[in-house]
Amino acid sequence: AVVSTQSGHYGREAISAKSVSSHITISQCDIIVWVIDIRSAKECFCEETFSELTNAKKTVVFVLNKVDLVPKSVAYQWYSVYSKRAPTFVLKSTEIILTECEQIITALKTSLARFGGAKPLLAHLKESSTEAEKKIGVIGGPQVGKSCVISTILKQCGRTKAKKATETKLSETLKLVTVPGLIKMEYKGVLNVLNNIHQYMNHPTEVLTALAHCITKQDAMFHFTLPNYKHPEGLPDALAVRYNLYFQKEPDHEAVGRLVLKQFRDKKLKFYVACEDSDDSVNIPDDQIGDVHRLLFEGDALRLNSSELNIIITKKEKKKKGNEMDVDEDDEEDDKELGMGSSDEEDGEFEEEEMS
């Protein structure tokens, strides 16, 4: 179900110095890349902006960002919805949900599948500009990953963002505007809570029920080590019992709300809003999902080949011992090395750590 919260003044966000109004981007560019946070994709869509793009006869491309933070079934559902409106692509997130294996996740963030999903997106953009020179602009709501999408496209092309210039040439007929366009919109769901957690810390019970609908029972039981309970209405009481949060011998839902909000703030808890109406027969093409398929989960923790992680961790440790910098994000050799295997001894040690 769609989560709704009291928006009030919480969802308002002024245009920052790092972005411009989406109207400026739309007027100056030929191809518009619209970034959507797939965790709550319905919140990120604005019918007025889409009508503006249609009336201006702009080429629209949707990018479902942070696809690795939702189950594969949810990714397919939202892809089927947006692909009916315009060409749609998926990208992995730069955010990493922290787990007990923080060393692995930190190493993973620096190298593994950094450009997941960027190749087919860039290929589509180049096909759209075969005849005349065209300009690409990136737009989206607050905190959906607009700048990260721009950075990902630049890195895929081997380019860097100039400090003073607002455009970067990707090919002979393609330019990318490196200043994103911000759509003025007020979130009224879980993204409103996420972007204004400090406000809701004073009134946690207002959003506790809404957040419970965005967390799966499996994730809640695994993350908080809870026994079986009735989800989602039983989550506050289950957490109160687990962490002994009582006030006058009654479950303290205000303390429970702050506990859940802190997990959201520290990026330790997965959440998403499922799609209500979708055509499940529409699947994400293999060429798009191929780069990020290892990062998608079926409702449990991320699963990756142990040999790949061993290579990443070993290389990172060697860099630190030599008093050198960490793994360079622009080093494309990391992706090549991920296809290599590691020694049997390394695999054995990693498997023992996983079992423990």
Side-chain angles (χ1 to χ4, degrees):
V2 177
V3 178
S4 61
T5 60
Q6 297 179 358
S7 58
H9 64 277
Y10 297 144
R12 298 175 184 172
E13 179 169 321
I15 296 178
S16 65
K18 296 182 179 180
S19 61
V20 298
S21 171
S22 60
H23 303 293
I24 297 176
T25 304
I26 293 172
S27 63
Q28 294 179 347
C29 301
D30 307 297
I31 303 173
I32 302 298
V33 177
W34 192 336
V35 183
I36 303 291
D37 189 337
I38 198 172
R39 295 177 297 178
S40 187
K42 191 173 183 178
E43 272 187 277
C44 300
F45 184 78
C46 178
E47 194 66 48
E48 293 181 3
T49 302
F50 189 74
S51 299
E52 180 183 353
L53 291 168
T54 305
N55 295 334
K57 297 181 179 180
K58 301 292 183 178
T59 302
V60 183
V61 177
F62 286 114
V63 170
L64 301 180
N65 198 24
K66 309 178 184 181
V67 68
D68 51 311
L69 301 183
V70 301
K72 185 182 290 186
S73 59
V74 176
Y76 281 140
Q77 290 172 357
W78 285 118
Y79 179 86
S80 66
V81 171
Y82 277 91
S83 60
K84 294 176 183 177
R85 293 180 176 269
T88 305
F89 296 85
V90 296
L91 281 181
K92 71 171 288 293
S93 172
T94 56
E95 295 182 12
I96 296 294
I97 298 297
L98 298 178
T99 66
E100 294 177 356
C101 306
E102 291 191 12
Q103 181 189 16
I104 296 174
I105 298 301
T106 303
L108 174 67
K109 183 176 179 179
T110 59
S111 53
L112 182 60
R114 292 191 310 273
F115 311 133
K119 290 181 181 179
L121 171 62
L122 187 61
H124 176 80
L125 295 176
K126 289 183 177 180
E127 288 177 1
S128 304
S129 61
T130 53
E131 298 178 357
E133 183 175 289
K134 292 187 177 181
K135 193 179 295 184
I136 304 171
V138 177
I139 66 172
Q143 305 297 323
V144 296
K146 301 181 293 295
S147 297
C148 292
V149 170
I150 292 174
S151 178
T152 299
I153 294 174
L154 290 175
K155 289 177 181 177
Q156 184 65 51
C157 295
R159 303 287 194 273
T160 56
K161 183 178 178 180
K163 292 183 178 180
K164 296 183 179 180
T166 58
E167 297 178 3
T168 301
K169 195 171 183 178
L170 302 181
S171 65
E172 294 297 329
T173 59
L174 202 61
K175 286 184 178 180
L176 175 66
V177 177
T178 55
V179 180
L182 177 65
I183 301 175
K184 285 186 177 181
M185 59 194 309
E186 289 189 4
Y187 293 140
K188 297 181 180 179
V190 65
L191 293 181
N192 172 35
V193 180
L194 186 66
N195 294 338
N196 301 279
I197 284 183
H198 62 286
Q199 304 266 9
Y200 284 105
M201 280 292 186
N202 298 324
H203 311 282
T205 54
E206 293 181 5
V207 295
L208 181 57
T209 303
L211 295 180
H213 285 84
C214 300
I215 309 169
T216 63
K217 181 178 180 179
Q218 183 180 2
D219 287 336
M221 292 178 65
F222 173 79
H223 182 76
F224 296 108
T225 59
L226 297 175
N228 191 22
Y229 68 96
K230 189 176 181 180
H231 189 80
E233 58 271 13
L235 179 60
D237 290 341
L239 288 173
V241 174
R242 168 67 177 83
Y243 292 96
N244 196 25
L245 301 175
Y246 289 95
F247 180 72
Q248 296 181 351
K249 298 183 180 180
E250 292 292 332
D252 189 353
H253 287 180
E254 188 168 329
V256 171
R258 289 196 183 95
L259 171 67
V260 175
L261 286 172
K262 287 178 181 178
Q263 300 304 304
F264 273 81
R265 180 195 63 189
D266 298 337
K267 300 178 182 178
K268 293 184 178 181
L269 191 61
K270 295 190 290 286
F271 71 91
Y272 60 88
V273 178
C275 183
E276 291 181 328
D277 46 1
S278 65
D279 185 5
D280 293 333
S281 61
V282 180
N283 292 330
I284 302 175
D286 293 336
D287 61 335
Q288 291 190 37
I289 207 68
D291 286 343
V292 294
H293 75 282
R294 288 173 296 181
L295 296 177
L296 296 180
F297 59 91
E298 303 289 351
D300 55 3
L302 300 178
R303 291 182 178 179
L304 295 157
N305 189 302
S306 60
S307 61
E308 295 176 349
L309 296 180
N310 269 327
I311 293 173
I312 299 169
I313 295 171
T314 304
K315 183 170 183 178
K316 192 176 182 69
E317 288 177 348
K318 286 182 179 178
K319 289 280 187 181
K320 287 185 176 180
K321 288 180 181 178
N323 292 327
E324 299 179 12
M325 294 178 63
D326 289 345
V327 179
D328 187 3
E329 290 187 356
D330 295 327
D331 188 1
E332 297 181 357
E333 294 180 1
D334 291 345
D335 296 331
K336 297 179 182 178
E337 290 183 3
L338 291 178
M340 299 170 56
S342 62
S343 64
D344 295 337
E345 183 179 354
E346 289 177 339
D347 285 339
E349 291 177 359
F350 185 85
E351 289 171 4
E352 290 177 4
E353 292 177 5
E354 272 193 329
M355 295 296 292
S356 62

